[in-house]
Amino acid sequence: MTVTIGRRELLAALGDYFARSSKTIAPALGIDVAPALGIDVAPAPIENDAAAIEQRIEAFARAPNGGLFVPPDITTDQHRDLIIALAARYRLPAVFAFRHFVTAGGLMSYGVEMLEQHRQAASYVDRILRGANPADLPVEAPTKYETVLNLKTAKALGFDVPPTLLVRADEVIE
């Protein structure tokens, strides 16, 4: 399963609450998987500007049954707190790429486990320092992914989290 499909499946698990998704950055990623999950996608590319982000999310929130899909991007990372606050204000379920969005109050995330990524990078550095030619090292894809769910946020948004989603989560923040 790709990371994009995994995130969309998390939104689909909350299907009683929404039927459409806004992709705040990189609108070409994963749009083809959304219809298979019963989700209409409204691409919403944003600029690195707080006012533009607020405008885009507010406009999306005007229609019912929406959820945010927030892929990894420097802009979303820089405006993490704003995006989380807007999702809460407009009661939009949001799936993020990294756990730090969830620990900061976001609803849920699905993405690579960063500690494992750092270990993998350290392994590359070790091999290079021992004399390996970087061009000869294989490209390694991430092997560990994690799902993090914030029940406190779910409760504040008025969402009943399905048991299947609770079981799937690697970490549940209460």
Side-chain angles (χ1 to χ4, degrees):
M1 162 175 36
T2 70
V3 175
T4 301
I5 292 172
R7 290 186 195 121
R8 293 240 185 251
E9 285 179 346
L10 286 179
L11 281 177
L14 292 173
D16 290 345
Y17 299 103
F18 78 98
R20 61 192 184 86
S21 168
S22 174
K23 188 171 191 107
T24 57
I25 288 287
L29 293 175
I31 290 177
D32 57 335
V33 302
L37 297 173
I39 300 171
D40 293 326
V41 175
I46 58 175
E47 300 168 16
N48 191 4
D49 173 56
I53 292 169
E54 189 162 353
Q55 241 178 359
R56 184 72 70 167
I57 292 175
E58 179 184 2
F60 178 77
R62 286 188 195 123
N65 302 324
L68 296 176
F69 173 78
V70 185
D73 180 88
I74 189 68
T75 299
T76 58
D77 221 33
Q78 287 177 328
H79 296 284
R80 176 191 72 184
D81 294 336
L82 174 63
I83 293 169
I84 291 168
L86 291 170
R89 179 187 311 161
Y90 297 112
R91 301 177 49 82
L92 294 169
V95 176
F96 300 95
F98 299 115
R99 72 181 322 280
H100 65 268
F101 281 84
V102 181
T103 59
L107 179 60
M108 57 187 154
S109 69
Y110 177 76
V112 297
E113 186 181 272
M114 293 309 292
L115 183 59
E116 184 63 28
Q117 287 297 102
H118 293 141
R119 284 186 187 126
Q120 200 172 15
S123 172
Y124 274 93
V125 170
D126 179 59
R127 288 186 268 176
I128 292 167
L129 291 175
R130 292 176 190 264
N133 180 355
D136 294 337
L137 295 176
V139 174
E140 294 180 14
T143 57
K144 282 186 96 175
Y145 297 88
E146 66 180 349
T147 301
V148 182
L149 178 63
N150 190 323
L151 286 182
K152 182 178 175 183
T153 299
K155 185 177 180 179
L157 293 173
F159 297 141
D160 293 321
V161 178
T164 54
L165 193 54
L166 286 172
V167 169
R168 181 178 176 172
D170 297 295
E171 181 179 352
V172 177
I173 298 170
E174 296 189 51

